[in-house]
Amino acid sequence: MGSAAAIAHAQALEAGGRARVVRHARLKPACAEDAAQLRFAVEDALNTADFGDAGRLVLVRRLRLAALPPRASPAWVARAMEEAWRGLALHAVPALHPSAARTDAVFFASRTEACMAWLAKLADGEAPVEWFWRAALPELNAWPAASEAAAIDRVLEAALRESEPAVVNALQRWTDAPLVALARALPARAQRRLLQVLVSSPVPARSDAVAAPVAAAPAARGMPVSVPLPVQVPAPIPLPLALVARKLVAWAPLDEAPALLLSALWLEPALHRLPSLEEARVVASRATRSAGQALTLPRRPQPAPEP
C-alpha cells in the first residue's frame, strides 16, 4: 500500500473508524486464473475479520496464511487470518518494551501514543528505527526523503488531529531537556500549531511597566510648584510567571517561538490551567531580557510606615 493510502487509512482510524493497513502482501494462488479471486477474498477478509484489538493500535510484522484451499471464500480467509492473528497477539508486547524490536507483534494504546513516543525518542537524541515505527506512522514513509523537521511536523499534526488534550498531557510528563529539544526542532508551522493548542483565548494586552505615583507636597503661598514627571518602573509579574521565567533563563539563548512554547508548557502546572498567550509572552520576554543575569523575583509589598 502506498504512503498516501496508508495515511488516509490512519486518518480514518483517528476519526473513529477501523483501519487494517497492509504494507506488503504476497499472494501465491494455485493457478494464475485464481489471482483476482484470491485478492478479492483477502481484501474482503481484512474488513470482516475480528482481530479483538480492543481499540489498540496493534502491529504485526508478518502474518502467514497457509494451506488455503483453491478459490477460498472471503469467510474462509477471514477465519484463517483470525487464527494466525491470535497466535501472534498472545505474545504481543508494548512497543516501548526493550524486547519490542525482536518480536513479531507489538501494540500502542492509540495512534496518539505512537506519535508522542516517536517524538520523545527523537527529542532524547535516539533514532527510532525499529520495524514497527513506519507501520504505526505512515507519515514517516516519505522520510528520509523529507527532512527531519518535515517528519516531525507530520507526526505532531497527526497526534493533534486525533486528540489535542492527549498531546498536552503527554508533553506535561516530559522532562525539561526533551521539551527544549522538541521546541527547537519544530518547524515554524508546527510551532504555531502547537502554540494555538497550548494557550487559551487571548486576554487584553497589559503593559509591562507602571507609572510610579508621585505625591506633590502642598506649596507654600507665593512659591512656584514643581511637579516631577511620572517615572516608569518595571511592573512585577506574578510569582508563578516569575518562577517559570527564571526556569526559562537556564535554557537561553532561545528564539521567540521556542520560548513561547516552553513558557506555555511550564505555566500550565504552575497556574493549574492553560495560560493565555499574553501570559506566555510576559514570561518569554522577561526571560529574554534576563538571560545571562540573575532574575529578580517580585517582592511582597511592605506595609507603609505609620506617620
Side-chain angles (χ1 to χ4, degrees):
M1 176 176 290
S3 59
I7 292 174
H9 276 72
Q11 290 176 351
L13 183 62
E14 292 163 7
R18 183 177 63 174
R20 280 84 183 268
V21 180
V22 178
R23 293 188 64 192
H24 303 286
R26 182 179 297 175
L27 305 179
K28 293 183 177 180
C31 59
E33 290 77 10
D34 294 343
Q37 194 276 338
L38 180 58
R39 175 170 182 167
F40 168 78
V42 169
E43 292 176 346
D44 189 79
L46 283 171
N47 292 324
T48 59
D50 183 9
F51 294 141
D53 51 17
R56 301 178 302 174
L57 175 61
V58 184
L59 307 159
V60 173
R61 188 189 300 208
R62 191 177 296 107
L63 193 67
R64 182 178 177 85
L65 306 180
L68 288 176
R71 295 184 175 273
S73 67
W76 194 302
V77 176
R79 287 194 296 269
M81 283 185 180
E82 292 168 355
E83 184 177 351
W85 179 274
R86 284 192 292 269
L88 288 175
L90 288 174
H91 306 287
V93 301
L96 299 183
H97 192 274
S99 65
R102 303 187 299 275
T103 60
D104 289 331
V106 302
F107 66 87
F108 291 96
S110 64
R111 269 263 294 169
T112 303
E113 184 188 64
C115 294
M116 299 311 296
W118 184 84
L119 290 171
K121 282 186 171 292
L122 212 64
D124 277 329
E126 301 181 33
V129 296
E130 290 82 1
W131 65 268
F132 49 82
W133 288 111
R134 292 183 182 276
L137 305 175
E139 293 82 5
L140 299 179
N141 291 331
W143 188 57
S147 65
E148 180 177 308
I152 292 173
D153 187 11
R154 293 190 186 103
V155 172
L156 179 62
E157 181 61 32
L160 290 172
R161 276 199 310 267
E162 184 174 352
S163 175
E164 293 179 358
V167 172
V168 175
N169 291 335
L171 290 176
Q172 286 295 339
R173 294 193 296 269
W174 287 21
T175 57
D176 291 351
L179 279 177
V180 175
L182 177 67
R184 285 172 167 160
L186 286 175
R189 175 182 174 276
Q191 288 174 343
R192 292 192 298 269
R193 176 78 170 87
L194 184 55
L195 191 59
Q196 290 174 353
V197 175
L198 293 175
V199 298
S200 59
S201 57
V203 297
R206 58 189 178 191
S207 174
D208 195 39
V210 297
V214 178
R221 183 175 300 175
M223 297 291 293
V225 178
S226 176
V227 180
L229 295 175
V231 179
Q232 298 291 325
V233 298
I237 61 177
L239 185 59
L241 275 66
L243 292 174
V244 173
R246 184 172 64 178
K247 183 179 180 180
L248 197 61
V249 169
W251 296 98
L254 283 170
D255 294 335
E256 180 184 9
L260 284 172
L261 284 176
L262 294 172
S263 300
L265 282 167
W266 288 336
L267 277 172
E268 194 274 339
L271 300 175
H272 305 291
R273 59 172 173 80
L274 288 175
S276 67
L277 181 58
E278 181 62 23
E279 287 169 326
R281 281 176 174 161
V282 168
V283 170
S285 61
R286 178 62 62 96
T288 301
R289 291 197 302 269
S290 302
Q293 54 186 317
L295 182 66
T296 303
L297 298 180
R299 299 178 179 178
R300 292 183 179 178
Q302 298 296 328
E306 295 183 1

